[in-house]
Amino acid sequence: MSGILDGKRILVAGVTMDSSIGFAAAKYAQEQGATVLISNFGRALGITRRIAKRLPSEPPVLELDVTDDEHLAGLADQVREHLGEGAGLDGVVHSIAYGNPETLLGGKFLTGPWPDVAQALQVSAYSLMSLTQACRPLMGPGASVVGLTFDATVAWPAYDWMGVAKAGLESTSRYLARNLGEEGIRVNLVSAGPLRTLAAKAIPGFSDLEDMWTTRAPLGWDNADHEPTAKAICALLSDLFPATTGEIVHVDGGFHATGA
Ligand SMILES: NC(=O)c1ccc[n+]([C@@H]2O[C@H](COP(=O)([O-])OP(=O)(O)OC[C@H]3O[C@@H](n4cnc5c(N)ncnc54)[C@H](O)[C@@H]3O)[C@@H](O)[C@H]2O)c1
């Protein structure tokens, strides 16, 4: 059976648990014929190595802290080690975010300290540029970068500084699209509704957002079903969107289109 990612080589950065959106993306990408590598950082790396075995085919696990310049500088070599000299990447998934839940989220907007805000912006927004740049020597025309946002056009309860970081991510994605278009590299985001993941559960008050989705999303919303999001990520990685870049595709049951 042929898949939409047959023959493509894809790096999914940001897989910790099997509840991670990155895990669902890696799984669907493999089911669609891709060769997948996954990455994570720090102490979570051990968990990622165990979780990798739950994918249809166990992928190589790379170490990548997106705030570590040495990791970024060595990433292309790490990828080549696994894919073979001369091999490139057809796709990169950025599924990474962090904001200190104790100081930045859950109603802490007015007191968020700058060092924590700076960390949130670096890990969650700036890193889309640094990860893309690190992978750029491996990418050519037709390659696709996909990141994950949570609609940053409005202010949400509880999301606070992560919302600001997502606004930065959305803008970063547009500037990357603008800068990399002439190399034939596409850069797009998927704006997902609330999904039960480690990152989401760490946000105090996240259940309020989940409740809003349950009652308002025209198509309904299942916060335990990552597959619609994974499918959109893979569609954007595939050749099915050859003239789309700088775009944000909502996978939110239609919530963003409703007023109340
Ligand atoms: N869960 C949701 O409701 C939801 C909704 C919309 C968008 N998103 C976004 O989806 C993406 C994936 O998050 P998730 O919900 O799957 O949670 P997750 O916790 O499973 O994934 C986040 C990943 O980021 C990694 N990470 C954090 N700091 C890092 C660093 N310095 N270097 C490298 N990796 C680092 C973590 O180790 C983890 O693997 C994030 O961008 C998140 O904001 C999530």
Side-chain angles (χ1 to χ4, degrees):
M1 216 179 73
S2 67
I4 60 169
L5 297 177
D6 270 345
K8 297 217 185 269
R9 289 154 304 196
I10 288 161
L11 169 65
V12 182
V15 179
T16 299
M17 310 291 287
D18 50 6
S19 63
S20 294
I21 295 171
F23 182 93
K27 179 167 182 279
Y28 194 71
Q30 286 188 342
E31 288 166 2
Q32 291 300 314
T35 299
V36 172
L37 302 100
I38 63 176
S39 74
N40 206 1
F41 85 123
R43 275 181 299 157
L45 204 54
I47 309 174
T48 305
R49 290 211 174 91
R50 286 199 297 280
I51 289 294
K53 299 187 201 310
R54 298 193 191 167
L55 284 166
S57 155
E58 187 178 341
V61 178
L62 312 185
E63 180 174 15
L64 174 67
D65 179 338
V66 287
T67 65
D68 185 320
D69 288 340
E70 277 179 32
H71 286 187
L72 289 163
L75 182 63
D77 283 342
Q78 270 206 83
V79 169
R80 285 193 199 102
E81 242 172 64
H82 290 284
L83 294 180
E85 209 49 50
L89 280 177
D90 304 290
V92 177
V93 180
H94 176 285
S95 191
I96 293 171
Y98 180 75
N100 187 337
E102 275 156 34
T103 58
L104 298 183
L105 312 175
K108 302 278 174 65
F109 184 77
L110 293 175
T111 54
W114 171 243
D116 290 6
V117 171
Q119 180 191 33
L121 294 177
Q122 184 183 10
V123 174
S124 316
Y126 180 82
S127 68
L128 182 65
M129 185 280 284
S130 43
L131 174 63
T132 302
Q133 273 289 72
C135 294
R136 199 162 148 221
L138 301 166
M139 293 192 290
S144 168
V145 178
V146 182
L148 272 307
T149 190
F150 187 72
D151 186 0
T153 56
V154 294
W156 299 105
Y159 209 52
D160 297 332
W161 283 103
M162 191 48 71
V164 178
K166 288 302 188 194
L169 177 78
E170 293 179 4
S171 186
T172 303
S173 163
R174 287 188 286 268
Y175 276 94
L176 281 171
R178 188 182 179 96
N179 278 277
L180 300 181
E182 63 183 25
E183 294 173 29
I185 299 171
R186 295 171 288 130
V187 184
N188 295 288
L189 298 178
V190 170
S191 183
L195 290 166
R196 289 251 148 173
T197 66
L198 218 54
K201 283 189 246 173
I203 303 173
F206 193 74
S207 60
D208 293 344
L209 289 176
E210 292 179 318
D211 293 345
M212 285 158 55
W213 247 261
T214 314
T215 50
R216 244 179 71 185
L219 291 172
W221 185 250
D222 179 353
N223 58 25
D225 183 5
H226 297 17
E227 198 173 69
T229 303
K231 283 181 168 169
I233 294 168
C234 291
L236 288 167
L237 289 171
S238 78
D239 298 332
L240 293 171
F241 281 93
T244 299
T245 195
E247 185 59 278
I248 301 177
V249 176
H250 292 83
V251 180
D252 64 349
F255 184 98
H256 72 282
T258 66

